[in-house]
Amino acid sequence: MKIVLAVVHGLSKFLNSISSVALIAIMVLTTADVVLRIFKKPIVGTYEIVGLLGAVVIGFGIPLTSWIRGHIFVDFIIEKFPEGRKDVVNIFTRLLGIGLFFIAGWNLIIVGMDLYVTGEVSLTRQLPFYPIAYGLAVSCFVQCLVLICDIIKIFGGEFGGES
């Protein structure tokens, strides 16, 4: 089981690295565009590139954020439960999350295939949309693995009872 947890954690870190690079690219591109506008030489397509990279930043950052539990917890009700019931609630919410992210990933693959077949691209830079859809689908499936690892940790007593 430790190997599975390590692999999923590694995948999450890899996706987060891509997310970090995309965020840096957004900052550099936006700054360069603002500076170049002073000289009447804006970067064409900045808005659409930032939009696509924004999807990468958010989507690829979700698995590691979930792994390290960096998101907001609203668990004031669950804290009143005994340990056994906390685990049941945590497993139930993880199963719901797995279902949600699996459906999202599956639909992103379908959308990506449609975008590929139709050849849909961005208006200004003619950047294809399908790689972003496929990448976000992969991120959704990695998130499913992270949630499965959460369930494994709950059964192993490593989860700590947080929701």
Side-chain angles (χ1 to χ4, degrees):
M1 262 326 126
K2 298 264 186 215
I3 294 171
V4 172
L5 295 175
V7 168
V8 173
H9 186 231
L11 282 171
S12 299
K13 286 170 48 173
F14 175 71
L15 289 177
N16 194 64
S17 298
I18 295 171
S19 174
S20 300
V21 169
L23 182 59
I24 292 168
I26 287 172
M27 292 186 302
V28 169
L29 181 63
T30 302
T31 303
D33 186 49
V34 168
V35 170
L36 289 173
R37 283 179 188 273
I38 295 169
F39 303 106
K40 308 272 192 244
K41 301 274 187 190
I43 299 172
V44 178
T46 298
Y47 182 77
E48 63 190 29
I49 295 169
V50 166
L52 293 172
L53 288 174
V56 171
V57 168
I58 294 168
F60 284 32
I62 290 173
L64 187 63
T65 302
S66 183
W67 183 274
I68 63 172
R69 292 186 243 158
H71 49 280
I72 296 172
F73 289 111
V74 183
D75 60 353
F76 55 91
I77 295 174
I78 296 173
E79 283 300 313
K80 308 282 187 214
F81 291 177
E83 280 306 311
R85 291 216 178 133
K86 284 182 192 177
D87 289 346
V88 170
V89 170
N90 285 323
I91 290 169
F92 178 71
T93 58
R94 284 351 178 245
L95 290 172
L96 286 176
I98 291 166
L100 172 76
F101 281 101
F102 184 82
I103 291 168
W106 184 259
N107 281 294
L108 281 164
I109 288 174
I110 292 168
V111 167
M113 290 181 347
D114 288 344
L115 292 171
Y116 179 77
V117 168
T118 61
E120 192 165 339
V121 294
S122 64
L123 189 59
T124 308
R125 284 286 185 180
Q126 301 295 302
L127 299 170
F129 290 132
Y130 73 90
I132 303 297
Y134 286 145
L136 293 174
V138 168
S139 183
C140 285
F141 293 134
V142 171
Q143 176 63 14
C144 288
L145 294 175
V146 168
L147 294 172
I148 290 168
C149 287
D150 275 355
I151 293 172
I152 291 169
K153 290 180 204 173
I154 290 168
F155 282 118
E158 301 174 34
F159 195 70
E162 297 170 11
S163 49

